[in-house]
Amino acid sequence: MTAFTGKSILICGVGGQGTLLMSKTLTYGLVQAGYDVKMSEVHGMAQRGGSVSTQVRYGEKVYSPIIGRGEADVLVAFEKLEAVRYANLLKPGGAALINDYEIAPLPVASGAAEYPQNIEEQMRRAFQVRVLPASRVAKSLGNIRCTNIVLLGALVRAFALETIDWNAALTASVPPKALALNIAAFDAGYQLEG
Amino acid sequence: MSDLTRQLLTGNEAIARGAYEAGVTVCSAYPGTPSTEIFENLAQYKNALYAEWAPNEKVATEVAYGACIANARSLTAMKHVGLNVAADLVFTAAYNGVGAGFVIVTADDPSMHSSQNEQDNRRYAQFAKIPLIEPSDSQECKDFMKEAYAVSERFGTPVLFRVTTRVSHSKSLVSLGEREEQTPARYVRNIPKFVCTPAFAQKHRPELEERLKALEVYANTSPLNALEQKGGKIGVITASISYQYAKEAFPEDTSFLKLGFTWPLPMDLIRSFAASVETLYVIEELEPFMEEQIRAAGISCVGKRAIPDMFELNPEIVRRGVFGAEPEVAQLDVDLVPRPPALCPGCPHRGFFHVLSKRKDFVITGDIGCYTLGYAAPLSAMDTCACMGGGFSLGMGMAKAFETQGVTDRKIFGVVGDSTFFHSGLTGAVEIIYNKGNMIPCVLDNSITGMTGHQDNPGTGFTLNGEIAAKVAIEDVLRSFGYQNVIIVDPQDLKAMQQAVDDALASEVPAAIIARRPCLLIKRIRHDVGKCVVDREKCRGCRLCLKVACPAIHLRDGKTEIDETICAGCTVCAQACPFGAISRVGDQRKGE
Ligand SMILES: Cc1ncc(C[n+]2csc(CCOP(=O)(O)OP(=O)(O)O)c2C)c(N)n1
């Protein structure tokens, strides 16, 4: 089999959480660093509070924009339940960066189902899990919307992608008035222990 | 000099760029996932070309075809089911041929991420007898567009350009080129060519077969078909996104015949490739389109025996199908609660469906759009949703069936959105008047094409480029058809909404309802938003507010709680509360 020598990243969350901006910034940085990059996203239901995911693959040469089961090197989950939803795409033993944040899906909100309590424990059995307070950090910086960039900082640390100029990538992908906040969010994410 | 550095573009952005570089000047489309962004991206080239949203795919294709008859390179694009709507013209345009180049983009949706069926539109190329081009990444989306116009003009035929969700919505690196302006020939009337009477059609018929033979000769040497000869053991014939999957699934020494021009198939090329390898695989998503033809040519191959014929592929599925390689997958024991999409907080459709959901004797024939979510529990206020326009006409059929069965205790409401109304609700509305339908057509007018990501339509007053346009008033249209009682109501006012339903049912003359309130996500409108809060003393935990199906509302310790970060203050829940426990606080304006 042709071994894919690059990395595959799966980013997931709930529509409106900013997964797309994170992927955009990430891919911008990777392209500047000279990698071949492919990214895949599914549109459609994103604005309606449904589950959303983006896949980013980079390396010397990337063919497929998407992966199958057990093929992602890292999973970045903006929401805990979503981590589980996409877990079958992550390699056993792979890294899972999970934002410590819950958004109740409609069946839970209406009392028809319970939000599962064993997510962390189950994820830890299969993967190298880091649960990160990204949304709390973002809130303390002044805007929960920069959760995505906090998580980007954490991902950059996990993948040792420090040689890339992330300030330039942020400058290219966020509006000027939000730049300072996002740089702070990135740094805070990079420093996170978890 | 244009920017020649490589950019990360989606397939759709690259198709738009390709049309621009090919010197296209007239473009018309109707939105539909996953094709929509092609035209949204054409807007940036408005100084070089004309691009518009048409009311539906048939009109769009006709506009583009008319433009090509007047010697302008033209483009239309649609989602796969859109081609069903446009098909009437496409089959005949194949007979008549083109003036300047004419390309039809179809964006198919394997796995139905945002669609109602999984039809494989490669069949349309064969059925309508027009050439088929399939790119496999964004660079090819751009480059193949230019070749598509060359093929269209060289052979005088419409060209079908097929992409799939993963081609349209994946990003990969693209080197840009310059626009090549075309010099259009002066238009001259050509009756035998463009007037499709039987006599002329009978003349075109054998010409069409000759053209296909010439296209097959071209296919064998087309620059869109590429041979990657490696070893003699395994050979793979593949096209479109499946090529990318197969490249990762097969060993390094596999030979590939990668096809970008996929109908008529380059059978000579295929035959000699097949002869050069021991085992031949045909790797294609969905139908055995290539495999059937390759087999019919007497060439043996492995195709659907190994690869599924439904849902999308990926490298892992190909690897498993061909080599039996099972991936290692972690098994978690977590109760995976689904996260279905829901009407947004503050969505104007909510009030309409909340009112209609209360009556078990109502039959609601729905249609496609955000408002389809009226079907979802706990609203569950929909009986059918099948195709655009069906919201009116399916209801009409049910009304006539009830009449013949002597059923009188069911009340039928046909429901379409504003964009859907202009797309194909118009003819249904005429049908109901003309044939005395015992039903009430309703237009849920949120003043935008919401579902596909907020495109303008004939009712919004703006064009694709954001310029001010004539605003077609839905009420004027309905009145002119003969609906003497057109009731316009704000669906967010539940009392008024209920009254509108009662009035329509009691009406002596043909009645229709327009539930009108703009979508909260429209940026150019100033919306009146606020927050709703729950008085926990007054809340009795009766859960009636949960019946409005709002993502902002949940239960905490048996009582209602509202998530203020997403609540828009629409007050539908407050109106549904019998104890006055919910009230709105704070007035804000959102938008410009
Ligand atoms: C033939 C066809 N063309 C396009 C689509 C894609 N599509 C789905 S819903 C929709 C329009 C919905 O707009 P509207 O009727 O205004 O309802 P809203 O989503 O705003 O509630 C479109 C274009 C489709 N499903 N079928």
Side-chain angles (χ1 to χ4, degrees):
Chain A
M1 241 132 284
T2 324
F4 174 66
T5 52
K7 297 273 185 214
S8 304
I9 304 170
L10 193 122
I11 299 161
C12 62
V14 176
Q17 280 194 295
T19 50
L20 272 182
L21 181 72
M22 172 178 174
S23 332
K24 195 176 144 195
T25 315
L26 176 64
T27 50
Y28 184 93
L30 293 168
V31 169
Q32 295 307 311
Y35 288 110
D36 188 21
V37 178
K38 286 196 178 173
M39 165 183 156
S40 182
E41 57 200 48
V42 170
H43 304 206
M45 292 292 188
Q47 255 157 354
R48 286 142 205 104
S51 153
V52 292
S53 71
T54 313
Q55 306 188 8
V56 175
R57 308 188 75 208
Y58 69 97
E60 217 167 293
K61 172 76 192 158
V62 182
Y63 286 101
S64 172
I66 58 163
I67 52 167
R69 295 176 306 154
E71 293 187 326
D73 298 285
V74 62
L75 172 92
V76 182
F78 283 48
E79 201 274 350
K80 281 164 67 181
L81 188 56
E82 295 313 304
V84 181
R85 203 178 308 283
Y86 293 93
N88 68 348
L89 294 172
L90 182 59
K91 280 181 188 143
L97 305 183
I98 306 175
N99 182 22
D100 188 13
Y101 193 69
E102 294 180 5
I103 301 176
L106 212 53
V108 171
S110 64
E114 294 275 324
Y115 194 98
Q117 294 304 314
N118 61 344
I119 292 176
E120 247 184 86
E121 175 240 321
Q122 285 289 319
M123 290 288 288
R124 281 191 198 284
R125 284 180 185 212
F127 311 110
Q128 294 174 44
V129 174
R130 287 179 65 204
V131 177
L132 304 167
S135 289
R136 287 197 293 282
V137 168
K139 231 178 175 169
S140 72
L141 289 172
N143 195 338
I144 193 165
R145 283 174 181 276
C146 64
T147 301
N148 49 6
I149 304 302
V150 175
L151 287 168
L152 177 64
L155 177 69
V156 165
R157 169 99 166 248
F159 264 13
L161 291 169
E162 291 86 350
T163 50
I164 295 172
D165 184 351
W166 293 105
N167 278 1
L170 284 168
T171 309
S173 53
V174 308
K177 65 175 196 272
L179 184 60
L181 173 68
N182 279 291
I183 288 176
F186 182 92
D187 290 340
Y190 186 80
Q191 305 297 341
L192 271 182
E193 306 292 332
Chain B
M1 273 292 289
S2 76
D3 184 3
L4 291 176
T5 57
R6 299 207 298 167
Q7 296 190 6
L8 201 56
L9 299 184
T10 62
N12 283 349
E13 289 168 326
I15 290 172
R17 178 73 196 186
Y20 164 78
E21 289 182 10
V24 170
T25 51
V26 179
C27 312
S28 181
Y30 181 72
T33 316
S35 72
T36 311
E37 302 82 6
I38 298 170
F39 270 62
E40 291 182 328
N41 278 287
L42 282 174
Q44 65 188 290
Y45 306 118
K46 66 179 172 197
N47 293 330
L49 52 80
Y50 170 79
E52 63 165 34
W53 290 128
N56 69 28
E57 294 88 350
K58 181 169 185 290
V59 173
T61 308
E62 289 158 351
V63 169
Y65 185 54
C68 97
I69 292 173
N71 299 322
R73 281 193 168 186
S74 66
L75 175 74
T76 183
M78 58 205 71
K79 79 186 267 130
H80 59 344
V81 290
L83 196 49
N84 301 334
V85 179
D88 191 10
L89 166 68
V90 174
F91 282 72
T92 303
Y95 280 54
N96 294 357
V98 302
F102 171 42
V103 175
I104 303 162
V105 178
T106 170
D108 293 8
D109 190 18
S111 279
M112 300 163 276
H113 296 284
S114 330
S115 303
Q116 60 269 47
N117 77 32
E118 199 182 39
Q119 66 187 57
D120 185 334
N121 277 5
R122 293 178 299 171
R123 299 275 192 213
Y124 260 117
Q126 195 178 29
F127 195 8
K129 297 178 184 284
I130 55 177
L132 176 65
I133 291 177
E134 294 185 85
S136 75
D137 64 14
S138 299
Q139 182 73 55
E140 291 183 358
C141 280
K142 185 186 78 78
D143 296 344
F144 286 16
M145 254 336 244
K146 294 193 198 172
E147 183 64 13
Y149 282 96
V151 167
S152 175
E153 287 174 1
R154 181 165 153 205
F155 296 93
T157 176
V159 171
L160 189 62
F161 193 93
R162 176 186 182 258
V163 286
T164 62
T165 299
R166 298 299 182 177
V167 175
S168 282
H169 285 174
S170 294
K171 287 190 177 179
S172 56
L173 291 163
V174 180
S175 308
L176 306 186
E178 301 281 352
R179 177 168 167 95
E180 292 156 25
E181 277 314 333
Q182 306 295 311
T183 4
R186 196 179 152 73
Y187 170 71
V188 190
R189 179 184 289 164
N190 188 343
I191 292 174
K193 185 164 172 61
F194 290 117
V195 180
C196 70
T197 61
F200 295 133
Q202 286 154 7
K203 207 180 126 288
H204 290 320
R205 181 69 189 86
E207 290 167 6
L208 185 54
E209 297 305 319
E210 289 307 313
R211 184 200 292 156
L212 290 176
K213 284 198 196 110
L215 280 163
E216 190 179 332
V217 172
Y218 160 83
N220 283 306
T221 57
S222 168
L224 305 182
N225 296 330
L227 195 59
E228 299 172 22
Q229 200 83 51
K230 290 268 179 65
K233 238 173 124 63
I234 303 181
V236 173
I237 297 177
T238 182
S240 185
I241 194 71
S242 303
Y243 166 75
Q244 310 291 355
Y245 304 154
K247 280 300 273 189
E248 282 188 22
F250 281 86
E252 198 73 61
D253 61 352
T254 305
S255 292
F256 276 83
L257 177 58
K258 179 198 173 293
L259 301 180
F261 189 89
T262 43
W263 206 78
L265 279 177
M267 213 43 94
D268 290 346
L269 196 58
I270 290 172
R271 197 169 281 112
S272 66
F273 181 70
S276 76
V277 296
E278 276 172 39
T279 315
L280 180 67
Y281 286 91
V282 177
I283 306 296
E284 56 188 326
E285 211 166 50
L286 304 186
E287 307 260 322
F289 176 75
M290 297 193 290
E291 182 185 352
E292 280 172 3
Q293 297 176 64
I294 291 169
R295 282 183 190 284
I299 301 163
S300 65
C301 58
V302 181
K304 292 300 166 189
R305 206 176 80 210
I307 300 292
D309 61 0
M310 59 179 116
F311 301 118
E312 66 179 0
L313 304 178
N314 62 40
E316 180 235 317
I317 294 173
V318 175
R319 220 174 276 133
R320 183 152 36 101
V322 175
F323 302 105
E326 272 297 329
E328 245 191 279
V329 180
Q331 300 295 333
L332 305 188
D333 184 20
V334 176
D335 180 14
L336 196 56
V337 186
R339 193 182 295 279
L343 295 173
C344 302
C347 175
H349 299 328
R350 177 169 286 108
F352 176 87
F353 286 110
H354 181 62
V355 166
L356 267 74
S357 71
K358 291 189 193 155
R359 290 272 297 267
K360 297 291 163 260
D361 57 335
F362 285 1
V363 170
I364 302 158
T365 50
D367 211 305
I368 307 183
C370 291
Y371 56 97
T372 309
L373 289 167
Y375 88 86
L379 291 168
S380 308
M382 199 167 287
D383 291 79
T384 62
C385 168
C387 64
M388 290 190 75
F392 286 171
S393 329
L394 263 62
M396 180 68 179
M398 293 183 80
K400 290 298 168 191
F402 291 154
E403 262 173 60
T404 61
Q405 295 159 354
V407 173
T408 54
D409 59 347
R410 307 304 295 270
K411 305 278 177 258
I412 301 173
F413 293 80
V415 181
V416 305
D418 50 318
S419 185
T420 304
F421 177 74
F422 292 113
H423 180 282
S424 45
L426 292 165
T427 40
V430 172
E431 153 74 9
I432 295 165
I433 282 287
Y434 175 51
N435 287 314
K436 299 193 181 67
N438 187 15
M439 65 176 286
I440 296 162
C442 307
V443 183
L444 303 195
D445 180 10
N446 61 357
S447 306
I448 204 75
T449 315
M451 186 73 188
T452 43
H454 292 88
Q455 292 75 35
D456 280 295
N457 69 51
T460 66
F462 292 90
T463 67
L464 169 70
N465 293 334
E467 280 147 23
I468 291 182
K471 189 168 171 168
V472 182
I474 298 169
E475 55 272 38
D476 291 351
V477 173
L478 289 172
R479 281 187 197 116
S480 74
F481 286 172
Y483 292 92
Q484 294 168 47
N485 186 8
V486 176
I487 304 163
I488 301 171
V489 61
D490 175 1
Q492 206 149 287
D493 179 342
L494 298 186
K495 273 210 186 86
M497 188 63 238
Q498 183 65 57
Q499 192 62 50
V501 168
D502 295 343
D503 289 352
L505 287 173
S507 184
E508 302 277 322
V509 293
I513 294 174
I514 299 173
R516 176 170 289 153
R517 176 176 271 272
C519 170
L520 263 186
L521 300 174
I522 302 176
K523 292 206 180 78
R524 61 173 166 253
I525 299 178
R526 295 203 63 178
H527 302 276
D528 164 33
V529 296
K531 301 283 165 216
C532 284
V533 292
V534 183
D535 182 338
R536 284 184 78 84
E537 299 287 296
K538 288 190 188 161
C539 175
R540 307 219 188 146
C542 74
R543 302 187 175 202
L544 276 179
C545 57
L546 291 175
K547 289 223 161 22
V548 309
C550 178
I553 305 177
H554 53 264
L555 286 178
R556 185 168 61 87
D557 307 330
K559 292 194 176 184
T560 293
E561 192 171 73
I562 294 176
D563 180 348
E564 58 168 283
T565 61
I566 58 173
C567 173
C570 77
T571 75
V572 167
C573 60
Q575 295 171 63
C577 175
F579 306 107
I582 305 177
S583 54
R584 177 169 148 149
V585 293
D587 280 322
Q588 298 167 23
R589 302 244 161 216
K590 185 183 149 213
E592 279 165 12

